[in-house]
């Protein structure tokens, strides 16, 4: 799928460009492939957790907590953006974490339903552990254990030993690790009886407890194994054995997970059988289990920490982080990449931010979205359930329905393109009408009426183009001057399927009818108003060109030796030669599309399909647009 070098490899150039959002400047290497894996979010080592409806984690380099809705596949950033946070935990409709905004390390509670934050500690705390369960929050402050009841708003000290750590809580008990006797022991507190009791007090080290009903699971570090203490009868029992260290145990009801060396193991308390879920587990934060889900972290081949979700019932990995299935129809523009996430229920549009490495589903979860196009400000897609075009304002986070059948608008599912805030689309309700819509104002302007649906459309800067059929075999390319509101036929009555606009040129592939030469590339110089051949060879075909700025991507078979075996070429129109930029030898390129300064495609090289992207030029600076936006708002 990759052409062999025609020129020397391009030395990676560092790109630094200002971005409207105020985030750090985007820096990456031109010509370097980037794999977009939104199903396994890149996170920091600050912690993560899972409950019935939600998962929480923190993205590397960000100060907010990511709240992920497991049912809807949507995520929200919560918490103050200017303070360091660690240990995010979630249960029911509440999230807690440790926060530095008040000068120390305090416990903050977030009510998901009310979208409200509350500080639970006194502002001068030195908290080093926090947990939540059944509307109870516990933490340790200078070695003492505190319990906060969400239902009443009351806080009490349940242990004042000054040696406590790693607290956990359920509806009936609080448990923790305690070194009051010089070594690690397990203590617990009966919430109803208001009594502190010793669970495991013996020689050696016992620590990192986890609670479920009346059982406390913990690490016996003297033997590096997992034990269980049953509160009702006071008995201890060894659950694991073997030579590897067992640690980071976490339980839900009778199920529990732990790290066995670098392996992630799942077991039940009353059974000796075990299941290995994964390997190369990240060693600083342990796995979390709730119901049929196990949440855990491991480092990828680039040493980045990624979050994984495993379904015990289905016995498979579950996409996490706004996606529900395989990617398709990718589109890109400078900072952003959008694609369709295909699932059993419906298709969703995922927007990936190349700067922050974050993603989110932007289409309605009840709809069925397809074929996104993206600019620096908007994403547009076709919704198959509503038979309408929708847009998403990236900066405002607002979704808008563009077309409506009540207004006699039935957009083509295939023929619409975007440039900045302009959308070119075809209305096929009665006849083929070509419209340009200003996405910022919602104003529709009809620019042409065609006899039938065109073969292709494109829009770039001051021009739009479409290809109209003149018969069964021939077609005409029309170039439309948007500001001058006039059109011209730049190529008439030839065999052509699509045309695209770049910097001062229009490019297409044309079949001359010569069986030997086949399909060749031509271009139209907009300033000089002249057609010229771009690439013509005595053998082989050059087909399906795409243009973005000064680059042209097309399919070629002249070096493959087989007429049906095409590969992709990248041609620099400004330099008048093939580009030095290349994709990897292992690339399996499907559905490539150009937009802005980048190429995006779906790639199966990793067995499962992923979206890949490659930048061929520096990105545009949008600061001027921001200033205009600010003036408009004022």
């Amino acid at each position: 799928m990759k052409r062999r070098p025609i020129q020397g490899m391009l030395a990676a150039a560092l790109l630094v460009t200002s971005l409207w959002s105020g985030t750090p400047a985007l820096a990456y290497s031109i010509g370097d492939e980037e794999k977009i894996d939104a199903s396994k979010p890149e996170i920091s080592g600050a912690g993560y957790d899972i409950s019935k409806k939600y998962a929480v984690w923190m993205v590397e380099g960000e100060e907010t907590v990511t709240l992920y809705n497991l049912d809807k596949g949507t995520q929200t950033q919560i918490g103050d953006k200017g303070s360091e946070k660690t240990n995010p935990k979630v249960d029911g409709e509440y999230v807690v974490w440790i926060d530095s905004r008040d000068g120390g390390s305090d416990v903050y509670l977030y009510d998901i339903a009310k979208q409200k934050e509350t500080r639970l500690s006194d502002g001068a705390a030195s908290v080093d552990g926090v947990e939540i369960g059944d509307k109870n929050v516990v933490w340790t402050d200078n070695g003492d254990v505190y319990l906060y009841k969400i239902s009443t708003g009351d806080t009490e000290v349940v242990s004042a030993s000054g040696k406590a750590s790693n607290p956990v809580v359920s509806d009936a008990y609080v448990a923790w690790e305690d070194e009051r006797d010089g070594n690690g022991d397990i203590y617990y507190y009966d919430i109803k009886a208001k009594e502190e009791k010793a669970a495991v007090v013996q020689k050696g080290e016992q620590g990192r407890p986890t609670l479920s009903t009346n059982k406390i699971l913990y690490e016996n570090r003297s033997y590096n194994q997992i034990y269980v203490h049953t509160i009702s009868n006071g008995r201890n029992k060894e659950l694991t054995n073997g030579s590897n260290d067992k640690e980071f145990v976490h339980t839900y009801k009778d199920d529990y997970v732990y790290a066995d060396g670098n392996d992630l193991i799942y077991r039940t308390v009353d059974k000796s059988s075990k299941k290995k879920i994964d390997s190369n587990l990240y060693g600083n934060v342990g796995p979390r289990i709730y119901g049929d889900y196990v949440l855990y972290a491991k480092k990828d081949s680039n040493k980045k920490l990624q979050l994984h979700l495993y379904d015990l019932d289905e016995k498979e990995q579950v996409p996490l982080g706004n996606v529900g299935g395989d990617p398709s129809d990718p589109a890109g523009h400078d900072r952003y990449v959008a694609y369709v996430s295909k699932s059993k229920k419906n298709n969703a549009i995922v927007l990936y931010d190349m700067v922050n490495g974050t993603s989110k589903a932007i289409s309605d979860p009840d709809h069925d979205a397809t074929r996104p196009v993206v600019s620096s400000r908007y994403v547009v897609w076709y919704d198959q359930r509503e038979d309408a075009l929708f847009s998403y304002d990236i900066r405002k986070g607002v979704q808008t329905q563009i077309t409506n059948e009540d207004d006699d608008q039935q957009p083509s599912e295939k023929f619409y393109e975007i440039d900045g805030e302009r959308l070119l689309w075809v209305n096929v309700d009665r006849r083929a009408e070509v419209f340009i819509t200003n996405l910022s104002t919602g104003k529709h302007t009809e620019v042409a009426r065609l006899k039938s649906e065109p073969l292709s459309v494109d829009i770039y800067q001051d021009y739009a183009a479409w290809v109209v059929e003149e018969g069964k075999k021939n077609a005409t390319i029309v170039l439309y001057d948007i500001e001058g509101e006039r059109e011209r036929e730049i190529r008439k009555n030839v065999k052509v399927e699509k045309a695209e606009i770049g910097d001062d040129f229009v490019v297409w592939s044309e079949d001359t009818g010569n069986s030997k030469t086949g399909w060749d590339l031509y271009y139209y110089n907009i300033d000089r108003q002249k057609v010229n051949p771009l690439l013509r060879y005595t053998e082989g075909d050059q087909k399906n060109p795409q243009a973005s700025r000064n680059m042209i991507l097309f399919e070629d078979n002249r070096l493959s030796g087989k007429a049906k075996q095409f590969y992709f070429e990248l041609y620099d129109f400004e330099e008048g030669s093939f580009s030095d930029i290349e994709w990897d030898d292992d690339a399996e390129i499907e559905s490539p599309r150009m937009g802005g300064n980048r190429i995006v495609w779906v790639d199966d090289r990793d067995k499962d399909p992923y979206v890949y992207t490659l930048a061929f030029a520096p990105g545009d600076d949008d600061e001027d647009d921001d200033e205009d936006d600010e003036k408009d708002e004022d």
Side-chain angles (χ1 to χ4, degrees), residues 193-355:
K194 293 185 177 296
E195 294 179 355
E196 177 188 280
K197 299 181 180 181
V200 185
V201 177
Q202 58 190 35
K203 294 181 179 180
E205 296 289 332
Q206 291 71 229
R208 279 201 287 247
T210 177
L211 265 173
S212 182
T213 58
N214 72 328
K215 294 182 175 65
I216 305 173
L217 277 66
Y218 62 94
E219 298 174 15
N220 186 320
R221 295 169 185 156
S222 299
Y223 303 100
N224 297 320
Q225 302 298 327
I226 306 299
Y227 280 65
V228 58
H229 174 85
T230 304
I231 295 175
S232 59
N233 58 29
R235 294 177 181 174
N236 295 324
K237 177 183 176 182
E238 185 181 57
L239 295 177
T240 64
N241 53 50
S243 59
N244 289 336
D245 292 350
K246 315 298 190 298
E247 55 185 350
F248 295 112
V249 61
H250 188 248
T251 185
Y252 173 77
K253 295 185 177 178
D254 288 330
D255 297 330
Y256 64 101
V257 289
Y258 60 93
D260 184 346
N262 291 323
D263 294 336
L264 172 59
I265 305 297
Y266 159 74
R267 299 180 69 165
T268 59
V269 172
D270 298 325
K271 296 181 180 179
S272 60
S273 60
K274 62 182 180 180
K275 175 182 175 57
K276 177 182 172 181
I277 295 175
D278 209 337
S279 57
N280 300 318
L281 197 64
Y282 176 63
N284 293 337
V285 182
R288 308 286 292 186
I289 182 172
Y290 191 98
D292 291 329
Y293 289 125
V294 180
L295 189 68
Y296 63 100
K298 57 187 294 185
K299 290 188 176 180
D300 64 11
S301 58
N302 296 320
K303 306 300 182 183
K304 294 180 179 179
L305 191 62
Q306 289 187 315
L307 200 59
H308 294 244
L309 184 64
Y310 185 83
D311 188 323
L312 293 166
D313 185 38
E314 298 293 335
K315 299 180 182 179
E316 63 182 11
Q317 294 282 340
V318 179
L320 183 68
N322 299 310
V323 297
D326 293 340
S328 67
D329 294 332
H333 186 284
D334 292 22
R335 174 173 176 172
Y336 300 104
V337 173
Y339 62 91
V340 176
S341 174
K342 301 171 67 176
S343 67
K344 296 178 181 179
K345 296 181 180 179
N346 54 35
N347 295 336
I349 303 297
V350 176
L351 177 64
Y352 187 85
D353 186 329
M354 299 295 298
V355 177

Side-chain angles (χ1 to χ4, degrees), residues 389-498:
L389 292 173
F390 283 76
S391 71
Y392 178 81
D393 188 321
I394 298 173
R395 301 179 196 178
K396 295 181 179 179
V398 176
Q399 177 182 292
T400 303
Q401 183 170 333
I402 301 170
T403 63
N404 195 311
E405 63 180 357
D406 292 338
D407 297 326
D408 297 327
Q409 294 173 337
Q410 182 182 342
S412 167
E413 298 182 34
K414 299 185 293 183
F415 300 123
Y416 53 91
E417 296 294 340
I418 191 173
D419 184 61
E421 62 183 18
R422 288 171 170 164
L423 176 72
L424 178 71
W425 61 283
V426 180
N427 182 23
V428 294
D429 178 62
R430 296 177 182 174
R431 60 179 66 86
E433 300 169 317
V434 182
F435 280 88
I436 294 178
T437 296
N438 186 310
L439 296 173
S440 64
T441 64
K443 181 182 178 181
H444 303 295
T445 302
E446 182 182 316
V447 297
R449 292 190 179 188
L450 310 178
K451 295 179 180 179
S452 60
E453 194 171 356
L455 299 178
S456 76
V457 299
D458 196 25
I459 185 169
Y460 181 62
Q461 294 184 350
D462 295 328
Y463 295 93
W466 50 86
V467 177
V468 294
E469 285 187 294
E470 298 294 348
K472 292 183 178 180
K473 294 184 178 181
N474 293 335
T476 294
I477 303 173
V478 177
L479 182 66
Y480 180 80
D481 184 329
I482 298 173
E483 299 300 325
E485 298 182 353
R486 59 181 179 271
E487 63 181 60
R488 71 183 77 149
E489 296 179 343
I490 62 175
R491 194 65 163 173
K492 298 180 181 180
N493 202 28
V494 293
K495 190 173 182 180
V496 59
E497 297 174 349
K498 63 180 295 187

Side-chain angles (χ1 to χ4, degrees), residues 172-185:
Y173 302 102
V174 180
W176 64 91
E177 178 181 344
D178 202 301
E179 295 186 355
R180 66 183 70 181
D181 295 323
N183 62 287
D185 292 315

